[in-house]
Amino acid sequence: MALKLGYLLPTREQIMDGRPEAAPLLSLAERAERLGYDSIWVGDSLLARPRHEPLTLLAGVAGRTHRVQLGTAVLLPALRNPVILAHVVATLDQVSAGRLILGVGIGLNVPSVHAEFQAAGVPFERRVGRMLEGLRLCRALWTGRSVNWDGRWQVEGGVLAPTPHRAGGPPIWVGGNLQSSRRQVGRSFDGWLPITPQPGSLGRTMGRGRMYRP
């Protein structure tokens, strides 16, 4: 398998430097594509680590690039209503002509992230269940068929349009180094985004990840 390189846009760093303008970030994305990078990524945070909203910014990047894949590293879906998230992601996948990778995570267990969830009206201790159920609902809506859902969210005969560019929606990768996150790769997700992996342990970890596949 050929080595592929991705570039994380410095959205957080731009905000910390007092430079919230999006134009330089879009230019960086264009340059990364010209330099041969394979993917461009954007992080997510509301208040804990303020930065540009990732799906909105990636829509801009999609309009300025043609080849690179576009990903979130990582989105916090528990902070979002999944019906709205499914609609936004489907539209973004159409805008990018199927280049989107949805990297997701549950958020760090630190006080600033606790406060972020509280501000969004989302119980921090229920974030894992919300994320997993919400993404299942997204995938159901991405089929374009009528959806009835009776869970944390109630949907009666809901039909989403547009559906994503790719049948079934974009691939969803889960972020995190916890064993529970790696188990979920084989059960619920299409890929894994490790956090600061050590080269010596990455191979062993990936080997264990294969064991979790059904």
Side-chain angles (χ1 to χ4, degrees):
M1 180 181 296
L3 178 67
K4 294 186 177 182
L5 296 177
Y7 177 66
L8 180 68
L9 286 179
T11 54
R12 172 61 176 155
E13 291 77 6
Q14 292 281 94
I15 296 297
M16 292 175 66
D17 286 344
R19 295 182 288 134
E21 298 81 11
L25 294 168
L26 298 179
S27 296
L28 278 173
E30 288 183 295
R31 184 181 181 191
E33 182 172 65
R34 289 197 304 270
L35 289 172
Y37 282 90
D38 300 288
S39 56
I40 295 170
W41 301 82
V42 180
D44 182 29
S45 181
L46 295 177
L47 303 175
R49 294 170 58 83
R51 62 207 316 161
H52 298 72
E53 199 285 317
L55 300 177
T56 306
L57 185 61
L58 285 176
V61 173
R64 299 276 286 268
T65 59
H66 306 281
R67 174 187 55 79
V68 289
Q69 291 188 295
L70 311 175
T72 53
V74 292
L75 187 80
L76 302 177
L79 293 175
R80 295 163 169 87
N81 178 292
V83 178
I84 297 173
L85 179 62
H87 193 199
V88 173
V89 168
T91 300
L92 178 54
D93 199 52
Q94 287 287 352
V95 170
S96 66
R99 290 185 284 143
L100 180 64
I101 299 171
L102 197 64
V104 301
I106 60 174
L108 296 174
N109 187 10
V110 296
S112 60
V113 176
H114 281 253
E116 179 175 64
F117 273 72
Q118 182 178 3
V122 176
F124 183 81
E125 65 278 5
R126 298 178 184 174
R127 70 197 189 283
V128 177
R130 284 179 62 92
M131 181 185 78
L132 294 176
E133 182 184 347
L135 291 174
R136 289 196 300 270
L137 177 51
C138 284
R139 280 173 162 157
L141 290 165
W142 288 337
T143 65
R145 298 190 291 268
S146 178
V147 173
N148 294 301
W149 198 271
D150 184 15
R152 288 178 174 85
W153 301 274
Q154 304 292 311
V155 180
E156 295 184 7
V159 178
L160 182 73
T163 55
H165 183 273
R166 283 168 293 186
I172 303 178
W173 296 5
V174 66
N177 284 353
L178 296 176
Q179 188 179 41
S180 58
S181 297
R182 297 197 301 270
R183 283 199 180 100
Q184 288 295 337
V185 174
R187 296 172 180 172
S188 305
F189 298 96
D190 306 299
W192 174 47
L193 282 169
I195 300 174
T196 59
Q198 297 297 321
S201 63
L202 185 57
R204 294 191 300 273
T205 300
M206 291 181 69
R208 288 194 295 268
R210 294 187 187 99
M211 294 171 60
Y212 300 141
R213 290 192 175 275

